[in-house]
Amino acid sequence: MSQGEWRACKAPYSFYHEFMEEYWEGGPSEGLGACLHRLCTLGRKMGVASFVVEEGLGRPDIEDEIEHLEALGPRVAGSVRASVVTFLDVGPRRDQDRLKIKPASIIGQFCIISFPVAEGETRSYIYEAYHRIPARDKKPLLNNHISMWGRLAVTVGGKEHRLPAAYFCQQNGVTSICAHSATRMIVRTKTDVPVSVRDLNTFWDYQPGGRVTVTKLLAALRHYSMNVVAHAMDEKMPTGRDEHRPERVWRQLALLADSGTSSLLIFSAGTTVDHVVPVVGHTVNTDEWHPIGATLHVNGKEHVSSNSLWIDHLVVHDDMLGPYYCLSRAALLPAEEDEPIEVRLVVTVLDDAVELSPTQADGVGRQAISGLITQLRNRKMGDGDWWEYLCKSLERRLFRTTLIRRQDYTDTLRVGRLDRDQSAMVRRLEDELPELMWMCELSVPNLFLANRARLGEVLIDARASVRDNGVGAIRMFRLPSLLGVVAPGRPSAFQVASWPVKGPVPMHKALQGETW
């Protein structure tokens, strides 16, 4: 196939044999080919009908990558190839005019670089890939929630298009390893700033065969203006096989994912860092038994919980396997013969202005809600069926924590008919609330599962100091029939007004592809 040709690929065309044997050195059985297999699989699932292959050599970023490979890699003779492949869900035009390709028809684009590593031996890898958020018939997958994505640029036939995607790249095993890939993926997706392997190796003083420490990884992320916080998991992990219970870390991982916070998981089978993967989203299974069934007949349990209990997978980009893979809690279970690969560290990337992490905010909300309900009930405030239901604690109270901007929140309050005092309260909130807040949404399990609805929320200042992460960070709350404004730093000083909303409202839709 010539570079620039637009070719049909519906069955019986075989990506497994025809495509990989032509564009991937070593063919379909080569070890690093797992990433290309994954991209082809995603393409098939999303209805790929044709593809375009264009020459990558001559593109400045690709030339820089190859020159760096040649400078640090094995000095052997051989040619280098770079092929840019674009998957489309429409067949090829008779006139082969790629300028007439519509953005909605582009499923994804990736670049394969092949380079010599030894005499007579060539290696291929995915230099970069932009693949749309997985969908069926262009509709988001049910119960899939993608939090880390951006509208990223691809060029076909010299024309630029933007795709909703999470950037992916693969290590080449010579000038780059998984730490390079993870850094490039998270920075490019969140900022649309390209990060070259050469720049990272200069920053880290990295040489082929070396390792990248956690300290260097964090330093690089901060260098690219990422506000990062590292959460050590070691103290939460068991020391023996018999004690290994993945729920000890899963709750925190799921809470971070559901909050929309971008994260990196650092895995280890021992004391050293073995692998790093970005978390780009999660899946929810509302038919899970264990969140309710496991505690149904147990007394004395905590009376609040998190909707993260129904998160059954994290969606990750693995630079050795490919994009948009699902990682279940079962993956943290020990194998029969081998030691488990454990999540030793979670690196979260917060909004630039955020000081309080979502796990801290979630704890603040849990701490506050029971006291607020008790105080308001004792003051004989609140009315309606749902208020009475909350006060009686007939079901566990369930929390979900996400980041929200002031205007987005106050817009939700302008519903129905508000009296003069209520309208004045909304205007006050528009003036006084912080620009960024963690919103701890309050629900009960069956309402959440059936309707994805909430009964109220607690708003927490996202810029509150970590040292002051108690209930003093709360700025306001809403409960059935009530709205309260809290004085900064004085949780016991709050003004409460009656509110017309006495029943459930939809939960905040914060993530791409958040379907139910």
Side-chain angles (χ1 to χ4, degrees):
M1 180 176 176
S2 61
Q3 296 279 331
E5 184 179 349
W6 188 351
R7 183 172 173 181
C9 60
K10 287 187 176 181
Y13 180 85
S14 172
F15 281 108
Y16 199 94
H17 293 291
E18 296 175 68
F19 186 87
M20 292 202 69
E21 287 175 359
E22 185 171 358
Y23 293 102
W24 193 268
E25 294 296 331
S29 63
E30 198 275 329
L32 290 175
C35 289
L36 182 54
H37 279 301
R38 177 61 176 170
L39 289 166
C40 293
T41 297
L42 288 171
R44 281 293 191 214
K45 288 182 176 182
M46 293 180 67
V48 60
S50 66
F51 62 89
V52 174
V53 179
E54 299 175 293
E55 179 61 69
L57 294 177
R59 207 175 83 181
D61 61 314
I62 294 176
E63 287 296 320
D64 182 72
E65 172 83 358
I66 292 170
E67 289 174 6
H68 191 54
L69 261 173
E70 291 174 340
L72 295 185
R75 300 181 181 277
V76 294
S79 61
V80 178
R81 293 194 304 167
S83 301
V84 179
V85 182
T86 304
F87 280 174
L88 304 164
D89 64 5
V90 295
R93 293 177 57 91
R94 289 183 180 180
D95 60 10
Q96 293 280 302
D97 189 351
R98 288 166 284 153
L99 290 176
K100 294 181 179 178
I101 292 173
K102 296 180 179 179
S105 299
I106 301 174
I107 295 173
Q109 184 182 91
F110 53 90
C111 174
I112 304 171
I113 292 180
S114 301
F115 66 101
V117 291
E119 194 68 36
E121 181 183 348
T122 304
R123 177 184 300 171
S124 295
Y125 68 101
I126 303 295
Y127 163 64
E128 66 176 10
Y130 305 82
H131 197 288
R132 279 188 184 273
I133 295 171
R136 290 277 191 182
D137 300 323
K138 298 189 177 180
K139 295 180 180 179
L141 298 180
L142 188 66
N143 290 339
N144 274 242
H145 309 261
I146 304 301
S147 57
M148 193 178 84
W149 66 284
R151 294 202 172 274
L152 306 179
V154 300
T155 301
V156 188
K159 184 178 180 180
E160 183 179 292
H161 307 275
R162 291 274 173 176
L163 301 183
Y167 182 81
F168 175 82
C169 59
Q170 183 179 18
Q171 61 175 284
N172 59 42
V174 179
T175 58
S176 61
I177 57 177
C178 63
H180 295 78
S181 300
T183 303
R184 292 177 62 205
M185 284 190 268
I186 200 165
V187 173
R188 184 61 180 274
T189 301
K190 291 188 70 66
T191 68
D192 203 16
V193 173
V195 179
S196 72
V197 171
R198 183 197 297 271
D199 288 344
L200 285 175
N201 285 342
T202 300
F203 185 80
W204 286 331
D205 192 23
Y206 177 85
Q207 294 295 321
R211 300 183 70 87
V212 176
T213 65
V214 172
T215 300
K216 286 187 174 183
L217 177 63
L218 296 176
L221 292 171
R222 293 183 178 118
H223 175 72
Y224 288 102
S225 302
M226 299 283 102
N227 179 14
V228 295
V229 178
H231 305 268
M233 296 286 110
D234 299 71
E235 68 272 12
K236 297 178 180 291
M237 297 299 291
T239 55
R241 180 189 306 275
D242 294 339
E243 298 175 359
H244 190 93
R245 300 182 65 193
E247 59 268 27
R248 296 190 181 190
V249 294
W250 187 261
R251 175 176 291 187
Q252 182 166 355
L253 300 181
L255 188 153
L256 289 169
D258 193 46
S259 72
T261 305
S262 301
S263 301
L264 295 175
L265 303 186
I266 298 180
F267 291 90
S268 176
T271 58
T272 59
V273 174
D274 294 319
H275 199 35
V276 186
V277 299
V279 178
V280 301
H282 64 279
T283 68
V284 175
N285 184 356
T286 57
D287 298 314
E288 279 279 0
W289 171 88
H290 79 274
I292 297 177
T295 59
L296 185 64
H297 303 292
V298 180
N299 295 320
K301 289 289 185 179
E302 184 182 12
H303 207 66
V304 294
S305 60
S306 171
N307 77 306
S308 61
L309 291 171
W310 285 269
I311 292 177
D312 55 352
H313 294 88
L314 302 179
V315 181
V316 301
H317 278 5
D318 189 316
D319 81 320
M320 293 298 290
L321 296 177
Y324 300 114
Y325 266 104
C326 288
L327 173 72
S328 74
R329 70 177 67 203
L332 303 180
L333 288 169
E336 290 295 327
E337 300 294 334
D338 302 322
E339 290 296 320
I341 294 180
E342 297 176 356
V343 179
R344 293 289 183 182
L345 197 71
V346 179
V347 178
T348 59
V349 181
L350 302 173
D351 188 282
D352 288 345
V354 170
E355 293 289 338
L356 210 61
S357 76
T359 52
Q360 292 166 331
D362 191 74
V364 171
R366 287 168 180 261
Q367 180 183 355
I369 192 62
S370 295
L372 284 170
I373 291 176
T374 299
Q375 288 185 60
L376 295 169
R377 182 184 58 196
N378 291 340
R379 294 185 187 183
K380 308 298 182 183
M381 303 186 76
D383 65 90
D385 292 342
W386 280 106
W387 171 249
E388 294 299 326
Y389 191 81
L390 270 182
C391 290
K392 292 177 182 177
S393 299
L394 298 176
E395 285 187 79
R396 279 183 296 162
R397 294 165 187 153
L398 182 149
F399 275 90
R400 175 188 184 234
T401 302
T402 58
L403 195 66
I404 192 168
R405 295 191 177 274
R406 176 179 57 218
Q407 191 63 53
D408 292 335
Y409 178 71
T410 56
D411 285 347
T412 68
L413 298 178
R414 294 189 177 279
V415 294
R417 300 181 62 179
L418 304 181
D419 63 27
R420 180 181 299 178
D421 291 341
Q422 292 163 349
S423 296
M425 180 75 83
V426 174
R427 289 194 298 271
R428 175 184 172 187
L429 293 173
E430 289 175 330
D431 292 336
E432 296 182 3
L433 284 179
E435 173 61 24
L436 279 174
M437 297 170 288
W438 289 111
M439 179 166 67
C440 295
E441 298 174 288
L442 170 66
S443 188
V444 292
N446 289 303
L447 178 63
F448 165 74
L449 298 175
N451 304 101
R452 194 159 178 79
R454 69 181 191 265
L455 295 172
E457 59 274 343
V458 176
L459 277 294
I460 298 163
D461 188 354
R463 299 178 181 179
S465 169
V466 174
R467 295 186 300 274
D468 303 323
N469 65 346
V471 291
I474 294 175
R475 297 304 303 274
M476 67 155 292
F477 60 88
R478 186 191 63 82
L479 294 165
S481 76
L482 299 170
L483 187 75
V485 180
V486 182
R490 298 171 59 198
S492 60
F494 54 83
Q495 177 186 350
V496 184
S498 64
W499 196 247
V501 179
K502 298 184 179 182
V505 298
M507 297 194 96
H508 177 51
K509 189 173 182 179
L511 310 178
Q512 173 73 9
E514 186 165 313
T515 56
W516 197 247

